[in-house]
Amino acid sequence: MTVATNFMVPTENRPYRSIKELPGVGLKPMNIKEDTPIWSAVMRIEAGACLPVREHKDLCEVFVVRGHGKFADGSVFQRGDYVREENGTFDKITANSELVVFFTHHGTCQFLDDEQNPLLEMSHMTRV
């Protein structure tokens, strides 16, 4: 029997990388492998900041680790909630408090500005 080795990323002291196109948002990439389009990261959104409109080409699964926020339609989410966004365009998210989420994305995510123009595209190959 072959015993596999765990892949572990110590995150406590790893800084969030700022993203100039997304003010108030920081990212800690976790699983980025060139041979698969699936990637994971921890994202921090400052209280009051917004995550802009997102267009997903595939599934994005999000687990809320800390904080709470709301979708543009007014519905709210909080620590412990699971959010699923798949193949489509999703409206802004506002962080009501410091918001920390862990997500796994199965493809690319394009962030759009208020006029629906591309602001930033992220994938398993993105380096911030």
Side-chain angles (χ1 to χ4, degrees), residues 68-71 73-78 81 96:
H68 56 94
K70 65 181 175 186
F71 297 99
D73 69 2
S75 56
V76 297
F77 56 88
Q78 62 187 353
D81 286 346
N96 293 339

Side-chain angles (χ1 to χ4, degrees), residues 3-121:
V3 177
T5 302
N6 291 330
F7 177 77
M8 196 273 297
V9 178
T11 63
E12 187 64 32
N13 296 317
R14 179 184 246 185
Y16 285 96
R17 298 177 185 176
S18 61
I19 305 169
K20 68 177 181 162
E21 296 89 350
L22 305 176
V25 176
L27 195 70
K28 289 183 185 186
M30 294 294 131
N31 180 33
I32 297 176
K33 294 176 63 179
E34 294 181 13
D35 62 341
T36 177
I38 301 171
W39 53 288
S40 299
V42 176
M43 180 179 280
R44 178 185 172 274
I45 307 168
E46 294 176 6
C50 289
L51 194 61
V53 171
R54 296 155 321 286
E55 183 177 76
H56 299 299
K57 303 296 183 200
D58 286 294
L59 174 65
C60 180
E61 297 179 280
V62 181
F63 181 76
V64 181
V65 176
R66 180 173 54 232
H68 56 94
K70 65 181 175 186
F71 297 99
D73 69 2
S75 56
V76 297
F77 56 88
Q78 62 187 353
R79 180 178 55 108
D81 286 346
Y82 166 82
V83 178
R84 180 184 177 105
E85 297 181 338
E86 184 174 0
N87 283 348
T89 303
F90 296 85
D91 217 335
K92 290 181 180 180
I93 289 175
T94 302
N96 293 339
S97 65
E98 178 188 67
L99 186 58
V100 176
V101 300
F102 176 83
F103 68 85
T104 296
H105 209 298
H106 297 252
T108 62
C109 177
Q110 188 172 63
F111 293 93
L112 307 173
D113 67 14
D114 290 337
E115 286 76 43
Q116 303 298 302
N117 298 311
L119 189 60
L120 172 68
E121 183 169 287

